Amino acid sequence: EFSSIAVLSALIWNSNLVGYGIRLGPYYTLAMSFIILAFAPGGGLVSRLICVSPIRVLGESSYALYLLHFPATLYFGTFWEQMGLGGASQWKCGLIVLFASVVGSIFAHNWYERPMRSFVRYALTPRPVQPVIRKAPVPAKAVETRMAA
């Protein structure tokens, strides 16, 4: 696991030496395949560390984080400039954006994504059709003769 992470780190560190088009294409493919192969068995130290509960929560809410980080960056960047803090530390703004994005993604995952997933799963689950058993209508004369008897 550590060697695959080291290879990926070296590629990221030296990515400025490679053209942008190559970085978007095949540059990381081999390293990412090594990472997948290294982490697939799940027995290593890093695998056990990323299975810790807080990290799992981040992993489960990662899609919501992907969706929310850009709007949060735009909102807080605009807000930061309107407050006249544009010259202040960008690290502070970055930490606020990171915190807001992570907290927002956890809320979105727990109170929107999971309930919607359950609802859609329930709505799309086929249920057995109950046969409708109808009794044959009794002719009126048969009813009358039963009542007379």
Side-chain angles (χ1 to χ4, degrees):
E1 291 178 349
F2 287 111
S3 61
S4 62
I5 293 172
V7 168
L8 182 63
S9 300
L11 288 174
I12 292 171
W13 184 263
N14 294 316
S15 64
N16 60 340
L17 303 174
V18 180
Y20 188 68
I22 304 261
R23 271 187 280 162
L24 293 178
Y27 185 68
Y28 295 112
T29 305
L30 190 59
M32 292 307 289
S33 64
F34 284 133
I35 284 186
I36 291 170
L37 289 173
F39 281 88
L45 176 66
V46 179
S47 294
R48 287 193 305 263
L49 286 175
I50 62 176
C51 287
V52 176
S53 183
I55 304 298
R56 288 183 77 177
V57 169
L58 286 176
E60 291 172 356
S61 61
S62 63
Y63 183 67
L65 179 62
Y66 164 72
L67 292 176
L68 292 177
H69 83 279
F70 185 68
T73 303
L74 291 179
Y75 175 76
F76 284 107
T78 304
F79 177 74
W80 201 256
E81 289 177 7
Q82 287 177 352
M83 294 298 292
L85 301 172
S89 171
Q90 290 185 347
W91 282 100
K92 290 179 185 178
C93 184
L95 288 175
I96 291 171
V97 169
L98 178 66
F99 179 76
S101 298
V102 168
V103 170
S105 69
I106 291 170
F107 277 109
H109 175 72
N110 286 329
W111 285 282
Y112 180 75
E113 187 178 343
R114 288 172 79 189
M116 286 303 292
R117 188 182 316 149
S118 297
F119 172 75
V120 169
R121 196 175 288 145
Y122 174 78
L124 296 178
T125 301
R127 289 172 202 60
V129 177
Q130 296 294 328
V132 178
I133 301 174
R134 295 186 181 148
K135 295 182 180 178
V138 179
K141 288 184 180 181
V143 173
E144 290 174 8
T145 55
R146 283 187 198 158
M147 291 173 69

